[in-house]
Amino acid sequence: MLEGKFEESSLMKKVVDAIKDSVKLCNFNCTEHGVTVQAVDDSRVLLISLLIGEASFEEYRCDRNITLGIDLESFNKIIKNGNSSDFLTLIAEDSPDNVLIIFEDKKKDRVSEYSLKLMDLDSDFLQIDDMEFDATITMPSSEFAKITRDLKTLSESLQIIVTKENVKFSSDGDFGTGNVVLKGFVDMDKPDESIKIDMARPINLTFGAKYIADIVKGTSLSESVTIKLADKSPALFEYKLPSGFLRFYLAPKFDE
Amino acid sequence: KKQQTTINEFFPRD
């Protein structure tokens, strides 16, 4: 049996918001360590890897591994009904046909209970070994979201170029070009505002802008985002959770 | 013109 209670429903709301536009159906795999999701978008360009660690829950119990096949659009309709500050509890039997979603306000004078039908989904698990990256950038997630939105207006591709001194985001479109250059810096008072660039080898990669625009829907999960890049390899975009992470692996574009 | 790759080209199925 699964019983997981969040101190606030806001975490689950943000997670669903972050992934629902990339994937529609996915398995939530529940183990004693927490909840994981691995899913790939329909075009097979973007892979999502989510871990909501046991410590993200106020109370968590999962005796046996349980798979919840969830339609995220339906789940989102229900999860939106809770107030962000409500307790959120997920309950499922060992071989469940549905999952119970319970919201309780903190004064305990209102309890809302919903049941979501589960689906039997094919799981197609990809093996992601520890990758070696040539460059790692950590920056404020809101700044990365703005750069993505701004440059996406010019082109369907977004180029990321990392040199020793800086990182350049660049787009080249029909009516013009644009780029944003960031240098590393440390903000002692607000560490989350810092920009950290670690580079072992220079990087020049191009990605589909629409996929990055989907990735930045994770912005509300974390003050900062970490971008890991390697030549001719998928990029990793990571938003840290209180215990766990939401990772996006994005396949690059190459010259024909 | 750049060609989009897919994630399957990099990560094998388990």
Side-chain angles (χ1 to χ4, degrees), chain A residues 60-85:
Chain A
Y60 186 82
R61 164 187 163 206
C62 184
D63 320 321
R64 268 184 228 162
N65 293 358
I66 297 176
T67 302
L68 308 176
I70 285 183
D71 178 330
L72 287 171
E73 202 181 320
S74 309
F75 190 37
N76 188 48
K77 284 178 185 162
I78 291 176
I79 213 89
K80 276 200 307 203
N81 296 343
N83 292 323
S84 292
S85 61

Side-chain angles (χ1 to χ4, degrees), chain A residues 19-253:
Chain A
I19 64 176
K20 71 176 168 46
D21 295 327
S22 303
V23 290
K24 191 172 165 359
L25 307 172
C26 60
N27 280 328
F28 281 62
N29 303 301
C30 310
T31 72
E32 58 178 328
H33 304 298
V35 178
T36 61
V37 173
Q38 196 201 82
V40 181
D41 84 304
D42 284 342
S43 60
R44 316 270 326 158
V45 171
L46 184 63
L47 183 147
I48 291 165
S49 174
L50 168 71
L51 167 65
I52 306 174
E54 187 194 348
S56 297
F57 295 83
E58 194 189 55
E59 291 164 28
Y60 186 82
R61 164 187 163 206
C62 184
D63 320 321
R64 268 184 228 162
N65 293 358
I66 297 176
T67 302
L68 308 176
I70 285 183
D71 178 330
L72 287 171
E73 202 181 320
S74 309
F75 190 37
N76 188 48
K77 284 178 185 162
I78 291 176
I79 213 89
K80 276 200 307 203
N81 296 343
N83 292 323
S84 292
S85 61
D86 286 353
F87 291 115
L88 163 64
T89 308
L90 304 176
I91 297 175
E93 302 295 330
D94 278 347
S95 297
D97 296 320
N98 51 58
V99 57
L100 282 182
I101 299 154
I102 301 164
F103 302 102
E104 291 169 79
D105 73 349
K106 296 268 153 56
K107 293 176 194 151
K108 300 267 183 140
D109 54 5
R110 190 194 64 247
V111 178
S112 320
E113 186 176 305
Y114 295 87
S115 165
L116 173 69
K117 283 183 192 162
L118 297 173
M119 306 174 76
D120 195 5
L121 303 174
D122 285 337
S123 61
D124 156 29
F125 199 82
L126 298 180
Q127 188 61 51
I128 307 164
D129 294 322
D130 279 342
M131 294 171 65
E132 285 197 18
F133 293 99
D134 298 322
T136 301
I137 302 145
T138 301
M139 63 185 287
S141 56
S142 56
E143 191 162 0
F144 179 56
K146 175 170 165 48
I147 291 168
T148 300
R149 284 194 302 265
D150 292 350
L151 294 179
K152 184 175 173 282
T153 60
L154 281 92
S155 167
E156 61 184 34
S157 293
L158 199 151
Q159 202 178 0
I160 305 179
I161 301 161
V162 188
T163 59
K164 205 170 182 63
E165 293 83 23
N166 60 47
V167 53
K168 178 156 103 173
F169 301 92
S170 169
S171 64
D172 186 347
D174 293 335
F175 68 86
T177 64
N179 69 72
V180 179
V181 178
L182 302 176
K183 287 195 168 77
F185 90 104
V186 179
D187 190 324
M188 299 292 260
D189 297 326
K190 297 179 196 155
D192 286 337
E193 297 288 309
S194 300
I195 296 173
K196 197 169 166 222
I197 302 169
D198 287 320
M199 189 214 73
R201 241 168 296 173
I203 285 290
N204 184 340
L205 284 167
T206 302
F207 300 98
K210 75 175 176 117
Y211 298 104
I212 303 190
D214 279 337
I215 289 169
V216 300
K217 286 169 185 163
T219 300
S220 65
L221 283 167
S222 176
E223 291 294 320
S224 63
V225 59
T226 299
I227 305 167
K228 297 186 179 189
L229 303 159
D231 193 31
K232 295 187 172 61
S233 301
L236 167 57
F237 301 83
E238 180 178 71
Y239 296 91
K240 287 212 161 54
L241 305 189
S243 160
F245 53 76
L246 176 60
R247 291 176 181 158
F248 295 92
Y249 293 86
L250 177 60
K253 286 182 169 186

Side-chain angles (χ1 to χ4, degrees), chain A residues 8-22:
Chain A
E8 296 203 325
S9 72
S10 57
L11 177 69
M12 204 60 183
K13 280 179 178 231
K14 289 175 186 173
V15 165
V16 174
D17 254 339
I19 64 176
K20 71 176 168 46
D21 295 327
S22 303

